[in-house]
Amino acid sequence: MPDEEYDLNYAYRALLILAPIAIAVMYTEAMLIPSLPTIANDFNVNSATVSWVLTAYLISGVVANPIVGKLGDIYGKKRILVYVMMIYTIAVTLNGFAPNFTLFIIFRTIQGIGLGMFPLAFSLIREEFPPHLVPRAQGLVSAMFGIGSAISLPIAATVAQDIGWQYNYHFVIPFVILLTYLTSKYIKESRYVNPNTKIDYIGAGILGSSLALMTTAFSEAPTWGWLSTSFLITMLLGVVLFTTFIFYELRIPYPLISIKLLKEKNVLASNIAAFVAGFGIFMAYQAITYLLELPNPVGFNLDILSTGITMLPVSLSQMVGALFASRLILRSGTKFVIVISSVILSFFYFILSLIAISGSS
């Protein structure tokens, strides 16, 4: 459709709502990173177990994303976006009052459904914005991830150090409620629906179970032992279920994830790149946090606030990189940007590993 058939004024108004959603969500997720050792101490769990604070959220998001996307196709993307934001708000509220680690992880898992907000938001941008504005709008929303992290690390670290990490959840609730209301009232419903599609709940259950088992094996391996029976059985069950998921998806008419589409070289490569990058970034966040806060000679013995400030450049570079990448993709293509970004990320992770080794020696 030509640009003339779109409402440019609406696009700019909608962007003022959709972009802050990215800020709020990334603020909510990044605010826990400097507090991971404190959370472990408060709930009396070890560093391996506390990693579930991040992994439970990610597993839930990975499984929920395709389901949320298909629900948006069937019932309308704006409607499902509002419902997801309501679920997210409830989970954020409950997390701030979680009395034990088990409930905290359950609420974090529910909160992970909130990752489905972004495919829906990007779809609304793609369908309702003038075509020339779509790349810039999506690049701007992506940059908001960095802004959310950037403002979260020092602010949330200060709150966590002075009055407790739980209060970060309490403070963010009004903003999430406000954004849910604004989305419900001012965002237009998508014009494209596909009510004939179906949702693969069985595949979602198999995928979620396989990821949970493999994550449990890796998380508990330092306690169980890498060659222990518990580790090997748990990992084997996870691999078997994941293999079952792949064969199951090939046989049904409406798969959760199109395995046939992944046979396309470009699709497979981009998904692998996204998985590796996401896995590496979240693992690095936890590892760097512990490196900064552990006492000498293993770590640098920093407090929560100093850790948040030290990690601030990561979020700032993410913000600048998203804006720069969105423009560079238009000029040089996606492949070039992925390759260059991977090289840069690998180089600096290598430097960080050398710093970690020298600091502990």
Side-chain angles (χ1 to χ4, degrees), residues 27 159 313:
Y27 181 98
V159 172

Side-chain angles (χ1 to χ4, degrees), residues 117-153:
M117 286 187 265
F118 300 109
L120 294 172
F122 284 133
S123 294
L124 287 169
I125 290 173
R126 187 174 60 253
E127 294 177 7
E128 303 298 329
F129 284 29
H132 79 275
L133 186 60
V134 170
R136 284 188 294 162
Q138 291 183 339
L140 180 62
V141 173
S142 298
M144 295 302 105
F145 289 105
I147 292 178
S149 298
I151 63 176
S152 172
L153 289 172

